[in-house]
Amino acid sequence: MFGNGLAFIARHGKFGLIIGLMAGLALPDLAIILRPWIPEMVALLLFLTAFRIGPREAMGNLGDLRTTAVTALCLQLGLPLLFLFGLWVFGAQFTPLAMAIVLMLAAPSVTGSANFSILLGHDPAPALRLLILGTAILPLTCVPVMYLLPELGGLQATLLAAGRLLVVILIAAVLGFALRHFGFPKLSEERRSAVDGLTVIALAIIVIALMSAIRPAFARDPAELAFWLVAAFAINFGAQIVTYALLKAKGRTDAVPISIVSGNRNFALFFVALSPEITEPLLIFLGCYQFPMYLTPTLLRRLYDPR
């Protein structure tokens, strides 16, 4: 009975994510209560994802790892440097919006990217590999961006935050892989659906915690909130659509998970290194960013599955 309930939640996963978004808006007090538990909830989500995929599928072969490394460098180093070069060429001001775009492009994948791939019916392994490897190389890829932007301040704080996140990811992934390898080497479809249901529940609870800044922002300045909401959709969906078009033109079979990662990044990592003056508007952007992120399986389903 419990397994059937989880399977039902898995089949209707996109609605579970929407319910989480609505709960984040309607229950600000619950969001504040849940916010301190975000690291633990993210670790649980990573554990479930690693368990579902399994070590063999996640690691792939040598060619997969080489492709993942090149992709991570393009996403986390090439794109932010290209954006900064564009600002310099056109003489554009470095506004809070430009700051948000740079931080988003320089960050590794969000922890839920593999789960979004699952909800869209695609292989989650490329997204999980990008999450692990992208976080591992962040201490290297963020150095040129931090050097070019002295406004970002503490490089050391960013490196420490990336290191802590990498440790959490590795511990959760190793535990998930170990349980799968030693306890459930062959995962039945029934159990796989149950795990997918648990991940939907975890995602829905996490998004409630991430939206704690939305209600106060709406009460303070609805117009500013609307600006950041439009910007979040444009940046997130724009990156996904452009990446998908380029990869599909090249015939890449991993176009969907890579495109999901391209638009959904864990830029909150950089917040530990920024001053309160810089992070104040970006906290609103972080909350708004959850909308396109969690609506990806619903609004971009037709793009990623045109059947």
Side-chain angles (χ1 to χ4, degrees), residues 151-190:
E151 297 93 340
L152 294 181
L155 176 60
Q156 182 179 3
T158 301
L159 298 181
L160 289 174
R164 286 194 297 268
L165 180 64
L166 179 60
V167 169
V168 171
I169 289 174
L170 290 178
I171 291 175
V174 168
L175 290 176
F177 289 151
L179 180 61
R180 173 68 183 274
H181 179 74
F182 294 108
F184 304 88
K186 292 184 178 180
L187 200 63
S188 67
E189 283 302 317
E190 182 179 353

PDB file of all heavy atoms in Angstrom, residues 151-190:
ATOM      1  N   GLU A 151      34.268  42.739  -6.851  1.00  0.00           N
ATOM      2  CA  GLU A 151      33.065  42.987  -6.057  1.00  0.00           C
ATOM      3  C   GLU A 151      32.627  41.741  -5.300  1.00  0.00           C
ATOM      4  O   GLU A 151      31.938  41.826  -4.290  1.00  0.00           O
ATOM      5  CB  GLU A 151      31.913  43.438  -6.965  1.00  0.00           C
ATOM      6  CG  GLU A 151      32.168  44.757  -7.676  1.00  0.00           C
ATOM      7  CD  GLU A 151      32.768  44.516  -9.059  1.00  0.00           C
ATOM      8  OE1 GLU A 151      33.308  43.427  -9.294  1.00  0.00           O
ATOM      9  OE2 GLU A 151      32.693  45.432  -9.897  1.00  0.00           O
ATOM     10  N   LEU A 152      33.017  40.570  -5.810  1.00  0.00           N
ATOM     11  CA  LEU A 152      32.599  39.328  -5.167  1.00  0.00           C
ATOM     12  C   LEU A 152      33.334  39.072  -3.857  1.00  0.00           C
ATOM     13  O   LEU A 152      32.879  38.285  -3.036  1.00  0.00           O
ATOM     14  CB  LEU A 152      32.822  38.139  -6.120  1.00  0.00           C
ATOM     15  CG  LEU A 152      31.950  38.129  -7.370  1.00  0.00           C
ATOM     16  CD1 LEU A 152      32.260  36.891  -8.198  1.00  0.00           C
ATOM     17  CD2 LEU A 152      30.487  38.149  -6.992  1.00  0.00           C
ATOM     18  N   GLY A 153      34.474  39.711  -3.684  1.00  0.00           N
ATOM     19  CA  GLY A 153      35.169  39.595  -2.402  1.00  0.00           C
ATOM     20  C   GLY A 153      35.822  38.258  -2.175  1.00  0.00           C
ATOM     21  O   GLY A 153      36.547  37.754  -3.013  1.00  0.00           O
ATOM     22  N   GLY A 154      35.519  37.640  -1.029  1.00  0.00           N
ATOM     23  CA  GLY A 154      36.280  36.525  -0.486  1.00  0.00           C
ATOM     24  C   GLY A 154      36.368  35.268  -1.326  1.00  0.00           C
ATOM     25  O   GLY A 154      35.468  34.437  -1.338  1.00  0.00           O
ATOM     26  N   LEU A 155      37.451  35.126  -2.044  1.00  0.00           N
ATOM     27  CA  LEU A 155      37.699  33.894  -2.780  1.00  0.00           C
ATOM     28  C   LEU A 155      37.841  32.717  -1.825  1.00  0.00           C
ATOM     29  O   LEU A 155      37.341  31.624  -2.079  1.00  0.00           O
ATOM     30  CB  LEU A 155      38.975  34.049  -3.627  1.00  0.00           C
ATOM     31  CG  LEU A 155      39.440  32.812  -4.398  1.00  0.00           C
ATOM     32  CD1 LEU A 155      38.379  32.360  -5.381  1.00  0.00           C
ATOM     33  CD2 LEU A 155      40.746  33.113  -5.122  1.00  0.00           C
ATOM     34  N   GLN A 156      38.512  32.931  -0.698  1.00  0.00           N
ATOM     35  CA  GLN A 156      38.719  31.842   0.256  1.00  0.00           C
ATOM     36  C   GLN A 156      37.393  31.302   0.788  1.00  0.00           C
ATOM     37  O   GLN A 156      37.211  30.094   0.908  1.00  0.00           O
ATOM     38  CB  GLN A 156      39.587  32.319   1.422  1.00  0.00           C
ATOM     39  CG  GLN A 156      39.896  31.214   2.436  1.00  0.00           C
ATOM     40  CD  GLN A 156      40.777  31.705   3.572  1.00  0.00           C
ATOM     41  OE1 GLN A 156      41.120  32.880   3.639  1.00  0.00           O
ATOM     42  NE2 GLN A 156      41.151  30.815   4.462  1.00  0.00           N
ATOM     43  N   ALA A 157      36.457  32.201   1.083  1.00  0.00           N
ATOM     44  CA  ALA A 157      35.162  31.758   1.593  1.00  0.00           C
ATOM     45  C   ALA A 157      34.416  30.924   0.559  1.00  0.00           C
ATOM     46  O   ALA A 157      33.769  29.924   0.888  1.00  0.00           O
ATOM     47  CB  ALA A 157      34.321  32.965   2.002  1.00  0.00           C
ATOM     48  N   THR A 158      34.509  31.324  -0.721  1.00  0.00           N
ATOM     49  CA  THR A 158      33.860  30.566  -1.781  1.00  0.00           C
ATOM     50  C   THR A 158      34.476  29.181  -1.923  1.00  0.00           C
ATOM     51  O   THR A 158      33.775  28.181  -2.098  1.00  0.00           O
ATOM     52  CB  THR A 158      33.964  31.323  -3.117  1.00  0.00           C
ATOM     53  OG1 THR A 158      33.346  32.604  -2.984  1.00  0.00           O
ATOM     54  CG2 THR A 158      33.268  30.557  -4.237  1.00  0.00           C
ATOM     55  N   LEU A 159      35.809  29.107  -1.859  1.00  0.00           N
ATOM     56  CA  LEU A 159      36.487  27.813  -1.967  1.00  0.00           C
ATOM     57  C   LEU A 159      36.097  26.893  -0.812  1.00  0.00           C
ATOM     58  O   LEU A 159      35.882  25.694  -1.010  1.00  0.00           O
ATOM     59  CB  LEU A 159      38.005  28.018  -1.995  1.00  0.00           C
ATOM     60  CG  LEU A 159      38.557  28.829  -3.172  1.00  0.00           C
ATOM     61  CD1 LEU A 159      40.076  28.932  -3.070  1.00  0.00           C
ATOM     62  CD2 LEU A 159      38.153  28.209  -4.494  1.00  0.00           C
ATOM     63  N   LEU A 160      36.000  27.462   0.391  1.00  0.00           N
ATOM     64  CA  LEU A 160      35.606  26.650   1.546  1.00  0.00           C
ATOM     65  C   LEU A 160      34.174  26.143   1.400  1.00  0.00           C
ATOM     66  O   LEU A 160      33.870  24.989   1.720  1.00  0.00           O
ATOM     67  CB  LEU A 160      35.748  27.466   2.837  1.00  0.00           C
ATOM     68  CG  LEU A 160      37.180  27.757   3.297  1.00  0.00           C
ATOM     69  CD1 LEU A 160      37.168  28.694   4.503  1.00  0.00           C
ATOM     70  CD2 LEU A 160      37.907  26.467   3.643  1.00  0.00           C
ATOM     71  N   ALA A 161      33.286  27.012   0.893  1.00  0.00           N
ATOM     72  CA  ALA A 161      31.897  26.591   0.694  1.00  0.00           C
ATOM     73  C   ALA A 161      31.807  25.484  -0.341  1.00  0.00           C
ATOM     74  O   ALA A 161      31.067  24.507  -0.171  1.00  0.00           O
ATOM     75  CB  ALA A 161      31.049  27.790   0.262  1.00  0.00           C
ATOM     76  N   ALA A 162      32.575  25.626  -1.432  1.00  0.00           N
ATOM     77  CA  ALA A 162      32.585  24.581  -2.460  1.00  0.00           C
ATOM     78  C   ALA A 162      33.133  23.273  -1.900  1.00  0.00           C
ATOM     79  O   ALA A 162      32.630  22.186  -2.213  1.00  0.00           O
ATOM     80  CB  ALA A 162      33.433  25.038  -3.652  1.00  0.00           C
ATOM     81  N   GLY A 163      34.160  23.375  -1.062  1.00  0.00           N
ATOM     82  CA  GLY A 163      34.728  22.175  -0.456  1.00  0.00           C
ATOM     83  C   GLY A 163      33.741  21.467   0.457  1.00  0.00           C
ATOM     84  O   GLY A 163      33.620  20.236   0.427  1.00  0.00           O
ATOM     85  N   ARG A 164      33.011  22.254   1.262  1.00  0.00           N
ATOM     86  CA  ARG A 164      32.013  21.653   2.151  1.00  0.00           C
ATOM     87  C   ARG A 164      30.909  20.970   1.354  1.00  0.00           C
ATOM     88  O   ARG A 164      30.468  19.865   1.683  1.00  0.00           O
ATOM     89  CB  ARG A 164      31.417  22.729   3.076  1.00  0.00           C
ATOM     90  CG  ARG A 164      32.356  23.184   4.181  1.00  0.00           C
ATOM     91  CD  ARG A 164      31.592  23.964   5.240  1.00  0.00           C
ATOM     92  NE  ARG A 164      31.000  25.184   4.698  1.00  0.00           N
ATOM     93  CZ  ARG A 164      31.597  26.363   4.708  1.00  0.00           C
ATOM     94  NH1 ARG A 164      32.819  26.475   5.205  1.00  0.00           N
ATOM     95  NH2 ARG A 164      30.986  27.427   4.216  1.00  0.00           N
ATOM     96  N   LEU A 165      30.454  21.637   0.294  1.00  0.00           N
ATOM     97  CA  LEU A 165      29.408  21.040  -0.529  1.00  0.00           C
ATOM     98  C   LEU A 165      29.892  19.757  -1.185  1.00  0.00           C
ATOM     99  O   LEU A 165      29.159  18.764  -1.254  1.00  0.00           O
ATOM    100  CB  LEU A 165      28.951  22.031  -1.601  1.00  0.00           C
ATOM    101  CG  LEU A 165      27.845  21.524  -2.526  1.00  0.00           C
ATOM    102  CD1 LEU A 165      26.561  21.273  -1.749  1.00  0.00           C
ATOM    103  CD2 LEU A 165      27.595  22.504  -3.668  1.00  0.00           C
ATOM    104  N   LEU A 166      31.130  19.763  -1.653  1.00  0.00           N
ATOM    105  CA  LEU A 166      31.681  18.561  -2.289  1.00  0.00           C
ATOM    106  C   LEU A 166      31.728  17.402  -1.310  1.00  0.00           C
ATOM    107  O   LEU A 166      31.401  16.259  -1.669  1.00  0.00           O
ATOM    108  CB  LEU A 166      33.082  18.853  -2.837  1.00  0.00           C
ATOM    109  CG  LEU A 166      33.788  17.677  -3.520  1.00  0.00           C
ATOM    110  CD1 LEU A 166      32.972  17.181  -4.703  1.00  0.00           C
ATOM    111  CD2 LEU A 166      35.192  18.079  -3.962  1.00  0.00           C
ATOM    112  N   VAL A 167      32.110  17.668  -0.061  1.00  0.00           N
ATOM    113  CA  VAL A 167      32.147  16.605   0.949  1.00  0.00           C
ATOM    114  C   VAL A 167      30.750  16.025   1.176  1.00  0.00           C
ATOM    115  O   VAL A 167      30.566  14.802   1.233  1.00  0.00           O
ATOM    116  CB  VAL A 167      32.725  17.150   2.285  1.00  0.00           C
ATOM    117  CG1 VAL A 167      32.524  16.139   3.411  1.00  0.00           C
ATOM    118  CG2 VAL A 167      34.203  17.466   2.116  1.00  0.00           C
ATOM    119  N   VAL A 168      29.745  16.910   1.290  1.00  0.00           N
ATOM    120  CA  VAL A 168      28.364  16.445   1.486  1.00  0.00           C
ATOM    121  C   VAL A 168      27.917  15.592   0.306  1.00  0.00           C
ATOM    122  O   VAL A 168      27.319  14.513   0.476  1.00  0.00           O
ATOM    123  CB  VAL A 168      27.419  17.640   1.677  1.00  0.00           C
ATOM    124  CG1 VAL A 168      25.957  17.178   1.655  1.00  0.00           C
ATOM    125  CG2 VAL A 168      27.718  18.357   2.981  1.00  0.00           C
ATOM    126  N   ILE A 169      28.208  16.062  -0.914  1.00  0.00           N
ATOM    127  CA  ILE A 169      27.803  15.324  -2.115  1.00  0.00           C
ATOM    128  C   ILE A 169      28.465  13.958  -2.167  1.00  0.00           C
ATOM    129  O   ILE A 169      27.808  12.944  -2.445  1.00  0.00           O
ATOM    130  CB  ILE A 169      28.151  16.140  -3.377  1.00  0.00           C
ATOM    131  CG1 ILE A 169      27.223  17.350  -3.491  1.00  0.00           C
ATOM    132  CG2 ILE A 169      28.037  15.270  -4.635  1.00  0.00           C
ATOM    133  CD1 ILE A 169      27.590  18.279  -4.624  1.00  0.00           C
ATOM    134  N   LEU A 170      29.757  13.911  -1.885  1.00  0.00           N
ATOM    135  CA  LEU A 170      30.486  12.635  -1.964  1.00  0.00           C
ATOM    136  C   LEU A 170      29.994  11.646  -0.909  1.00  0.00           C
ATOM    137  O   LEU A 170      29.805  10.461  -1.200  1.00  0.00           O
ATOM    138  CB  LEU A 170      31.986  12.884  -1.813  1.00  0.00           C
ATOM    139  CG  LEU A 170      32.661  13.590  -2.995  1.00  0.00           C
ATOM    140  CD1 LEU A 170      34.140  13.812  -2.703  1.00  0.00           C
ATOM    141  CD2 LEU A 170      32.491  12.787  -4.276  1.00  0.00           C
ATOM    142  N   ILE A 171      29.772  12.127   0.317  1.00  0.00           N
ATOM    143  CA  ILE A 171      29.290  11.227   1.375  1.00  0.00           C
ATOM    144  C   ILE A 171      27.916  10.673   1.022  1.00  0.00           C
ATOM    145  O   ILE A 171      27.671   9.461   1.110  1.00  0.00           O
ATOM    146  CB  ILE A 171      29.245  11.960   2.734  1.00  0.00           C
ATOM    147  CG1 ILE A 171      30.664  12.264   3.220  1.00  0.00           C
ATOM    148  CG2 ILE A 171      28.501  11.120   3.775  1.00  0.00           C
ATOM    149  CD1 ILE A 171      30.710  13.091   4.490  1.00  0.00           C
ATOM    150  N   ALA A 172      26.997  11.552   0.609  1.00  0.00           N
ATOM    151  CA  ALA A 172      25.651  11.102   0.255  1.00  0.00           C
ATOM    152  C   ALA A 172      25.677  10.152  -0.933  1.00  0.00           C
ATOM    153  O   ALA A 172      24.973   9.130  -0.944  1.00  0.00           O
ATOM    154  CB  ALA A 172      24.768  12.310  -0.050  1.00  0.00           C
ATOM    155  N   ALA A 173      26.501  10.476  -1.944  1.00  0.00           N
ATOM    156  CA  ALA A 173      26.567   9.628  -3.132  1.00  0.00           C
ATOM    157  C   ALA A 173      27.174   8.262  -2.811  1.00  0.00           C
ATOM    158  O   ALA A 173      26.669   7.222  -3.257  1.00  0.00           O
ATOM    159  CB  ALA A 173      27.375  10.321  -4.222  1.00  0.00           C
ATOM    160  N   VAL A 174      28.252   8.248  -2.033  1.00  0.00           N
ATOM    161  CA  VAL A 174      28.897   6.976  -1.682  1.00  0.00           C
ATOM    162  C   VAL A 174      27.943   6.091  -0.884  1.00  0.00           C
ATOM    163  O   VAL A 174      27.851   4.875  -1.131  1.00  0.00           O
ATOM    164  CB  VAL A 174      30.198   7.239  -0.889  1.00  0.00           C
ATOM    165  CG1 VAL A 174      30.716   5.946  -0.254  1.00  0.00           C
ATOM    166  CG2 VAL A 174      31.264   7.819  -1.810  1.00  0.00           C
ATOM    167  N   LEU A 175      27.220   6.677   0.073  1.00  0.00           N
ATOM    168  CA  LEU A 175      26.268   5.889   0.855  1.00  0.00           C
ATOM    169  C   LEU A 175      25.149   5.340  -0.034  1.00  0.00           C
ATOM    170  O   LEU A 175      24.745   4.176   0.096  1.00  0.00           O
ATOM    171  CB  LEU A 175      25.678   6.743   1.976  1.00  0.00           C
ATOM    172  CG  LEU A 175      26.634   7.105   3.116  1.00  0.00           C
ATOM    173  CD1 LEU A 175      25.947   8.045   4.105  1.00  0.00           C
ATOM    174  CD2 LEU A 175      27.133   5.859   3.839  1.00  0.00           C
ATOM    175  N   GLY A 176      24.638   6.177  -0.933  1.00  0.00           N
ATOM    176  CA  GLY A 176      23.592   5.724  -1.838  1.00  0.00           C
ATOM    177  C   GLY A 176      24.076   4.630  -2.770  1.00  0.00           C
ATOM    178  O   GLY A 176      23.383   3.621  -2.989  1.00  0.00           O
ATOM    179  N   PHE A 177      25.280   4.803  -3.332  1.00  0.00           N
ATOM    180  CA  PHE A 177      25.850   3.787  -4.212  1.00  0.00           C
ATOM    181  C   PHE A 177      26.098   2.482  -3.457  1.00  0.00           C
ATOM    182  O   PHE A 177      25.859   1.388  -3.980  1.00  0.00           O
ATOM    183  CB  PHE A 177      27.162   4.289  -4.823  1.00  0.00           C
ATOM    184  CG  PHE A 177      26.977   5.368  -5.857  1.00  0.00           C
ATOM    185  CD1 PHE A 177      27.982   6.316  -6.054  1.00  0.00           C
ATOM    186  CD2 PHE A 177      25.820   5.442  -6.615  1.00  0.00           C
ATOM    187  CE1 PHE A 177      27.818   7.308  -7.006  1.00  0.00           C
ATOM    188  CE2 PHE A 177      25.656   6.437  -7.571  1.00  0.00           C
ATOM    189  CZ  PHE A 177      26.655   7.381  -7.762  1.00  0.00           C
ATOM    190  N   ALA A 178      26.600   2.592  -2.217  1.00  0.00           N
ATOM    191  CA  ALA A 178      26.903   1.392  -1.429  1.00  0.00           C
ATOM    192  C   ALA A 178      25.639   0.610  -1.107  1.00  0.00           C
ATOM    193  O   ALA A 178      25.610  -0.627  -1.231  1.00  0.00           O
ATOM    194  CB  ALA A 178      27.629   1.793  -0.137  1.00  0.00           C
ATOM    195  N   LEU A 179      24.575   1.317  -0.703  1.00  0.00           N
ATOM    196  CA  LEU A 179      23.320   0.620  -0.398  1.00  0.00           C
ATOM    197  C   LEU A 179      22.773  -0.064  -1.644  1.00  0.00           C
ATOM    198  O   LEU A 179      22.285  -1.203  -1.575  1.00  0.00           O
ATOM    199  CB  LEU A 179      22.301   1.613   0.149  1.00  0.00           C
ATOM    200  CG  LEU A 179      20.932   1.027   0.511  1.00  0.00           C
ATOM    201  CD1 LEU A 179      21.062  -0.042   1.594  1.00  0.00           C
ATOM    202  CD2 LEU A 179      19.969   2.132   0.969  1.00  0.00           C
ATOM    203  N   ARG A 180      22.871   0.591  -2.776  1.00  0.00           N
ATOM    204  CA  ARG A 180      22.376  -0.008  -4.021  1.00  0.00           C
ATOM    205  C   ARG A 180      23.222  -1.215  -4.416  1.00  0.00           C
ATOM    206  O   ARG A 180      22.693  -2.267  -4.795  1.00  0.00           O
ATOM    207  CB  ARG A 180      22.397   1.049  -5.130  1.00  0.00           C
ATOM    208  CG  ARG A 180      22.063   0.509  -6.508  1.00  0.00           C
ATOM    209  CD  ARG A 180      20.619   0.066  -6.651  1.00  0.00           C
ATOM    210  NE  ARG A 180      20.391  -0.497  -7.962  1.00  0.00           N
ATOM    211  CZ  ARG A 180      20.085   0.213  -9.035  1.00  0.00           C
ATOM    212  NH1 ARG A 180      19.958   1.537  -8.942  1.00  0.00           N
ATOM    213  NH2 ARG A 180      19.876  -0.380 -10.186  1.00  0.00           N
ATOM    214  N   HIS A 181      24.543  -1.082  -4.325  1.00  0.00           N
ATOM    215  CA  HIS A 181      25.448  -2.149  -4.770  1.00  0.00           C
ATOM    216  C   HIS A 181      25.338  -3.390  -3.885  1.00  0.00           C
ATOM    217  O   HIS A 181      25.263  -4.517  -4.395  1.00  0.00           O
ATOM    218  CB  HIS A 181      26.889  -1.639  -4.775  1.00  0.00           C
ATOM    219  CG  HIS A 181      27.890  -2.662  -5.196  1.00  0.00           C
ATOM    220  ND1 HIS A 181      28.032  -3.057  -6.513  1.00  0.00           N
ATOM    221  CD2 HIS A 181      28.786  -3.397  -4.486  1.00  0.00           C
ATOM    222  CE1 HIS A 181      28.986  -3.989  -6.588  1.00  0.00           C
ATOM    223  NE2 HIS A 181      29.451  -4.201  -5.373  1.00  0.00           N
ATOM    224  N   PHE A 182      25.308  -3.191  -2.567  1.00  0.00           N
ATOM    225  CA  PHE A 182      25.323  -4.334  -1.656  1.00  0.00           C
ATOM    226  C   PHE A 182      23.923  -4.814  -1.273  1.00  0.00           C
ATOM    227  O   PHE A 182      23.748  -5.989  -0.961  1.00  0.00           O
ATOM    228  CB  PHE A 182      26.104  -3.976  -0.385  1.00  0.00           C
ATOM    229  CG  PHE A 182      27.567  -3.727  -0.628  1.00  0.00           C
ATOM    230  CD1 PHE A 182      28.081  -2.440  -0.565  1.00  0.00           C
ATOM    231  CD2 PHE A 182      28.418  -4.776  -0.931  1.00  0.00           C
ATOM    232  CE1 PHE A 182      29.424  -2.202  -0.786  1.00  0.00           C
ATOM    233  CE2 PHE A 182      29.770  -4.541  -1.158  1.00  0.00           C
ATOM    234  CZ  PHE A 182      30.275  -3.252  -1.095  1.00  0.00           C
ATOM    235  N   GLY A 183      22.941  -3.920  -1.275  1.00  0.00           N
ATOM    236  CA  GLY A 183      21.613  -4.320  -0.826  1.00  0.00           C
ATOM    237  C   GLY A 183      20.619  -4.589  -1.931  1.00  0.00           C
ATOM    238  O   GLY A 183      19.791  -5.508  -1.831  1.00  0.00           O
ATOM    239  N   PHE A 184      20.692  -3.790  -3.019  1.00  0.00           N
ATOM    240  CA  PHE A 184      19.699  -3.909  -4.094  1.00  0.00           C
ATOM    241  C   PHE A 184      20.396  -3.788  -5.452  1.00  0.00           C
ATOM    242  O   PHE A 184      20.174  -2.816  -6.193  1.00  0.00           O
ATOM    243  CB  PHE A 184      18.628  -2.824  -3.966  1.00  0.00           C
ATOM    244  CG  PHE A 184      17.922  -2.811  -2.643  1.00  0.00           C
ATOM    245  CD1 PHE A 184      18.440  -2.077  -1.571  1.00  0.00           C
ATOM    246  CD2 PHE A 184      16.751  -3.530  -2.453  1.00  0.00           C
ATOM    247  CE1 PHE A 184      17.790  -2.049  -0.351  1.00  0.00           C
ATOM    248  CE2 PHE A 184      16.096  -3.510  -1.235  1.00  0.00           C
ATOM    249  CZ  PHE A 184      16.615  -2.777  -0.173  1.00  0.00           C
ATOM    250  N   PRO A 185      21.261  -4.750  -5.801  1.00  0.00           N
ATOM    251  CA  PRO A 185      21.996  -4.646  -7.069  1.00  0.00           C
ATOM    252  C   PRO A 185      21.088  -4.559  -8.289  1.00  0.00           C
ATOM    253  O   PRO A 185      21.438  -3.931  -9.282  1.00  0.00           O
ATOM    254  CB  PRO A 185      22.850  -5.920  -7.094  1.00  0.00           C
ATOM    255  CG  PRO A 185      22.199  -6.842  -6.117  1.00  0.00           C
ATOM    256  CD  PRO A 185      21.588  -5.985  -5.071  1.00  0.00           C
ATOM    257  N   LYS A 186      19.915  -5.211  -8.213  1.00  0.00           N
ATOM    258  CA  LYS A 186      18.932  -5.125  -9.297  1.00  0.00           C
ATOM    259  C   LYS A 186      17.649  -4.520  -8.719  1.00  0.00           C
ATOM    260  O   LYS A 186      16.922  -5.181  -7.991  1.00  0.00           O
ATOM    261  CB  LYS A 186      18.651  -6.496  -9.900  1.00  0.00           C
ATOM    262  CG  LYS A 186      19.835  -7.080 -10.660  1.00  0.00           C
ATOM    263  CD  LYS A 186      19.465  -8.404 -11.334  1.00  0.00           C
ATOM    264  CE  LYS A 186      20.644  -8.944 -12.126  1.00  0.00           C
ATOM    265  NZ  LYS A 186      20.302 -10.240 -12.794  1.00  0.00           N
ATOM    266  N   LEU A 187      17.408  -3.273  -9.068  1.00  0.00           N
ATOM    267  CA  LEU A 187      16.268  -2.552  -8.516  1.00  0.00           C
ATOM    268  C   LEU A 187      15.042  -2.809  -9.390  1.00  0.00           C
ATOM    269  O   LEU A 187      15.043  -2.504 -10.592  1.00  0.00           O
ATOM    270  CB  LEU A 187      16.572  -1.056  -8.453  1.00  0.00           C
ATOM    271  CG  LEU A 187      15.730  -0.204  -7.497  1.00  0.00           C
ATOM    272  CD1 LEU A 187      15.944  -0.632  -6.063  1.00  0.00           C
ATOM    273  CD2 LEU A 187      16.091   1.277  -7.669  1.00  0.00           C
ATOM    274  N   SER A 188      13.989  -3.360  -8.786  1.00  0.00           N
ATOM    275  CA  SER A 188      12.764  -3.644  -9.536  1.00  0.00           C
ATOM    276  C   SER A 188      12.059  -2.339  -9.901  1.00  0.00           C
ATOM    277  O   SER A 188      12.304  -1.286  -9.297  1.00  0.00           O
ATOM    278  CB  SER A 188      11.824  -4.525  -8.705  1.00  0.00           C
ATOM    279  OG  SER A 188      11.350  -3.812  -7.566  1.00  0.00           O
ATOM    280  N   GLU A 189      11.186  -2.405 -10.902  1.00  0.00           N
ATOM    281  CA  GLU A 189      10.443  -1.215 -11.326  1.00  0.00           C
ATOM    282  C   GLU A 189       9.566  -0.678 -10.200  1.00  0.00           C
ATOM    283  O   GLU A 189       9.391   0.527 -10.060  1.00  0.00           O
ATOM    284  CB  GLU A 189       9.592  -1.546 -12.553  1.00  0.00           C
ATOM    285  CG  GLU A 189      10.371  -1.614 -13.846  1.00  0.00           C
ATOM    286  CD  GLU A 189      11.103  -0.318 -14.155  1.00  0.00           C
ATOM    287  OE1 GLU A 189      10.509   0.770 -13.974  1.00  0.00           O
ATOM    288  OE2 GLU A 189      12.285  -0.380 -14.540  1.00  0.00           O
ATOM    289  N   GLU A 190       9.009  -1.584  -9.393  1.00  0.00           N
ATOM    290  CA  GLU A 190       8.173  -1.160  -8.273  1.00  0.00           C
ATOM    291  C   GLU A 190       8.977  -0.354  -7.261  1.00  0.00           C
ATOM    292  O   GLU A 190       8.541   0.709  -6.799  1.00  0.00           O
ATOM    293  CB  GLU A 190       7.555  -2.390  -7.599  1.00  0.00           C
ATOM    294  CG  GLU A 190       6.618  -2.049  -6.452  1.00  0.00           C
ATOM    295  CD  GLU A 190       6.005  -3.283  -5.808  1.00  0.00           C
ATOM    296  OE1 GLU A 190       6.213  -4.387  -6.345  1.00  0.00           O
ATOM    297  OE2 GLU A 190       5.342  -3.143  -4.767  1.00  0.00           O
TER     298      GLU A 190
END
